[in-house]
Amino acid sequence: MLRTRQNLNLFRQLGIIKKLSWTEYEATIFRLLLNPSPYIQEIAQSVLNQIPSKWFSVAVHARFAGKIANSKESTQMIRKTQLPDIAKMIREVLIQYNNNHTQTVFIATDSSYGLKKLKSLLYPITVLSYRKAKRGHSTKGKRNLVHSALIDLFLLTRSRTFIGVDRSGFSHVAKALSRPKVVKWISVW
């Protein structure tokens, strides 16, 4: 088992983490396990090069699943009717916590429909996503889905404000990796 007090203390003694914090410990373990390849880092960097600060104002993981997702499945998370509320949540976070002039939102999702709808609801705010992403659920085992998921995960960590789906393990990993100052959850059940 990785999550032991002994390992936490060892990471602190070795200077791998700065304080005795489970949050910092878990984020470090995730980073060590997921260590992105140069290929994935290059692709993520190409998205980051589109924004001046190299940080997104808000990073959003919008897991739809169900019939709205590009890869249809029986589980449904975000529903179409929630899209206006999610856009409102993003706008409120931008107003409350991100007062800089260039506001850019990054959205990682499994639904082209959901991405298009959120972009239109957030207009004129700049919304980016990994354009070449193969949208779907990475448990299908296809390499391009796994690569897209890792790229999205890496990009989701480039924001101090994170919005994720409360029932998504992917959202929780993204949050743990990013150490955001502000976290909001989209409730799906």
Side-chain angles (χ1 to χ4, degrees):
M1 175 171 230
L2 290 173
R3 195 177 199 268
T4 65
R5 175 64 66 180
Q6 182 181 6
N7 286 344
L8 176 67
N9 289 330
L10 179 63
F11 271 48
R12 174 63 183 104
Q13 289 169 356
L14 293 173
I16 296 170
I17 59 175
K18 293 180 180 162
K19 57 185 176 181
L20 288 174
S21 157
W22 286 115
T23 302
E24 188 175 353
Y25 173 79
E26 288 173 352
T28 302
I29 290 294
F30 283 136
R31 281 195 177 92
L32 290 171
L33 292 174
L34 295 173
N35 188 17
S37 69
Y39 166 75
I40 288 173
Q41 290 179 35
E42 282 177 32
I43 292 171
Q45 193 60 49
S46 71
V47 175
L48 291 172
N49 288 340
Q50 297 177 49
I51 55 175
S53 69
K54 305 294 184 246
W55 285 87
F56 299 107
S57 304
V58 180
V60 181
H61 176 237
R63 172 89 161 95
F64 287 86
K67 291 181 173 59
I68 303 171
N70 290 16
S71 296
K72 311 302 183 223
E73 56 186 296
S74 59
T75 301
Q76 184 170 348
M77 293 206 179
I78 296 174
R79 301 178 191 287
K80 286 182 183 180
T81 57
Q82 289 180 277
L83 288 168
D85 293 333
I86 294 167
K88 181 181 176 191
M89 180 189 295
I90 294 168
R91 286 184 183 281
E92 287 172 354
V93 166
L94 285 170
I95 291 166
Q96 189 171 5
Y97 299 105
N98 295 291
N99 294 324
N100 60 17
H101 297 289
T102 55
Q103 295 185 330
T104 307
V105 175
F106 175 76
I107 299 177
T109 184
D110 60 347
S111 170
S112 296
Y113 169 84
L115 178 62
K116 183 178 177 182
K117 186 71 172 169
L118 284 170
K119 280 184 172 183
S120 70
L121 290 168
L122 290 168
Y123 184 80
I125 296 166
T126 302
V127 175
L128 296 176
S129 66
Y130 172 47
R131 272 185 244 145
K132 294 180 184 175
K134 174 78 173 150
R135 304 209 182 283
H137 198 254
S138 58
T139 58
K140 304 284 188 219
K142 296 180 180 171
R143 188 175 180 89
N144 56 354
L145 285 175
V146 174
H147 279 180
S148 290
L150 287 172
I151 292 163
D152 278 344
L153 192 60
F154 184 80
L155 290 167
L156 285 168
T157 68
R158 302 298 295 178
S159 176
R160 294 288 180 231
T161 305
F162 176 75
I163 298 173
V165 176
D166 64 351
R167 302 288 181 181
S168 168
F170 193 85
S171 284
H172 286 276
V173 170
K175 177 199 167 272
L177 284 170
S178 61
R179 300 184 199 148
K181 292 180 180 175
V182 179
V183 178
K184 300 283 183 179
W185 293 106
I186 301 165
S187 181
V188 293
W189 298 332

